[in-house]
């Protein structure tokens, strides 16, 4: 037997001992969980964990202190997760999810009254037509109007942009989701193709002003830089609004950056198509509901978390997803206004909430993280 084989044999023997001891420790954690549940105590006990880490650090080989701290922090994380299995049966989130799974219809509706931000021809409307076969659409000038329409019962659903492949997340929508306690019940990934349009008979050399939404202007910046410096670029609230303004304007030198669908809708001609900086410009739109609905086949979950400003807090969350073999398709952070060095994190996870382990993990987050928001479980249309 070689020297390395001898050392590996010792490691195998040690691992067997560790497995036996860790199994014993997890059983103790279970019993503590049952006691905590009976007494209404929280899973997380920061004082106890700090005390244990301090004891381990004082006894460990000085060269191994930081490694041992990392090992015990992982043990704590796993133990808390295991304890949550026995303490979250009656949680509000579990009841909410279970009721939604039980009471949601088998199929997503093909017709509904839907609130959209913008006007006819806006990307929100085009995305809405991808989700619903024959929607009844009501238009609102602001995102908040969409939420109010759904909250009041005027519309069953709302459809809103949540992120763009080049511009990132739409933070205002995330904030309104959390503030109003809405849920995502569907999403669609819609390809954005920007075109330069003007009234019939207008030539590119006639253009003195270009109007569009500020994001569309940004996404077409490379093309705009090739045009004359004398052309004014004006931001308006929506790409379809820009098309309508050009259509109704008496000015012959005004053009709009908008979708090709707006050409026929507003009687415009395409001067130049596909003027975006990227050929892979996609926007994700979400369908929101005041009531949680979880349709069969839902395989995506969206979450928000405000994590504590301490080392390892994000790593501990990610490790929990990894332990269940879950794939994070989105992890994005943004500073929290008014709080130095504290961040809100957006998570998208490929997972079926019908799985008991997944539901338990969500309930664990809900009980242990003050800034946790469950945004829904749904299917995304490509």
């Amino acid at each position: 037997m070689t020297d390395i084989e001898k050392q590996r044999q010792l490691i195998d023997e040690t691992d067997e001992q560790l497995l036996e001891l860790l199994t014993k420790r997890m059983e103790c954690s279970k019993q503590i969980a049952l006691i905590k549940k009976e007494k209404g105590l929280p899973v997380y006990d920061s004082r106890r964990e700090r005390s244990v880490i301090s004891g381990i650090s004082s006894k460990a080989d000085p060269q191994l202190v930081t490694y041992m701290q990392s090992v015990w922090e992982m043990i704590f994380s796993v133990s808390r997760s295991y304890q949550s299995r026995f303490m979250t049966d009656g949680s509000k989130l579990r009841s909410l999810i279970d009721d939604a799974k039980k009471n949601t219809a088998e199929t997503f509706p093909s017709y509904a009254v839907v609130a959209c931000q913008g006007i006819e021809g806006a990307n929100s409307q085009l995305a809405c037509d991808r989700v619903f076969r024959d929607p009844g659409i009501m238009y609102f000038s602001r995102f908040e109007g969409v939420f109010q329409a759904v909250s009041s019962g005027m519309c069953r659903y709302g459809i809103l942009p949540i992120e763009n492949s080049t511009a990132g997340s739409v933070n205002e929508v995330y904030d309104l989701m959390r503030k109003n306690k809405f849920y995502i019940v569907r999403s669609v990934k819609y390809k954005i193709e920007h075109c330069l349009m003007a009234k019939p008979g207008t030539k590119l050399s006639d253009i003195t002003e270009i109007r569009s939404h500020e994001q569309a202007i940004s996404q077409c910046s490379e093309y705009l830089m090739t045009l004359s410096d004398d052309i004014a670029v004006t931001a308006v609230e929506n790409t379809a609004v820009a098309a309508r303004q050009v259509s109704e304007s008496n000015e012959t030198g005004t053009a709009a950056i908008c979708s090709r669908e707006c050409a026929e809708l507003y009687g415009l001609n395409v001067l130049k198509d596909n003027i975006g900086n990227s050929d892979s410009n996609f926007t994700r739109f979400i369908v929101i509901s005041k009531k949680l609905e979880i349709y069969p086949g839902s395989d995506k979950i969206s979450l928000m978390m405000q994590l504590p400003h301490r080392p390892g807090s994000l790593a501990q969350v990610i490790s929990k997803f990894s332990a269940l073999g879950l794939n994070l398709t989105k992890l994005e952070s943004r500073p929290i206004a008014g709080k130095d060095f504290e961040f809100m994190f957006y998570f998208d996870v490929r997972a079926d909430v019908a799985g008991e382990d997944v539901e338990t993990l969500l309930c664990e987050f809900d009980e242990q993280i003050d800034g946790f928001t469950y945004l829904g479980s749904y299917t995304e249309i490509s």
Side-chain angles (χ1 to χ4, degrees), residues 320-332:
K320 294 178 187 295
F321 291 118
S322 178
L324 296 181
L326 303 179
N327 182 31
L328 286 175
T329 59
K330 177 176 182 175
L331 172 54
E332 186 176 328

Side-chain angles (χ1 to χ4, degrees), residues 93 97 178 301-307 317 321 344 347 361-375:
L93 181 58
I97 292 173
R178 188 181 188 199
I301 299 172
S302 290
L303 314 167
M304 294 174 66
M305 296 188 205
Q306 181 179 329
L307 297 179
V317 169
F321 291 118
M344 180 67 71
F347 295 84
L361 178 61
L362 297 179
C363 293
E364 177 186 341
F365 288 149
D366 188 47
E367 293 192 349
Q368 295 183 18
I369 299 175
D370 291 337
F372 173 78
T373 303
Y374 168 66
L375 296 175

Side-chain angles (χ1 to χ4, degrees), residues 65-80:
V65 168
T66 56
Y67 299 100
M68 292 303 176
Q69 288 174 345
S70 297
V71 169
W72 256 263
E73 285 171 358
M74 182 60 69
I75 290 173
F76 290 151
S77 178
V78 171
S79 295
R80 288 196 300 269

Side-chain angles (χ1 to χ4, degrees), residues 222-266:
E222 294 177 8
Y223 172 75
L224 293 175
M225 289 178 65
T226 68
L227 302 179
S228 170
D229 293 339
D230 295 330
I231 297 177
V233 179
T234 305
V236 298
E237 58 265 37
N238 191 277
T239 55
V241 168
R244 186 179 66 183
Q245 289 177 352
V246 170
S247 176
E248 296 175 350
S249 174
N250 294 324
E251 301 290 335
T252 57
T254 305
I257 296 174
C258 49
S259 65
R260 178 174 286 276
E261 287 80 358
C262 287
E264 181 177 350
L265 187 61
Y266 293 105

Side-chain angles (χ1 to χ4, degrees), residues 349-361:
V349 190
R350 279 289 178 191
D352 183 355
V353 76
E356 183 179 349
D357 287 345
V358 175
E359 187 174 345
T360 297
L361 178 61

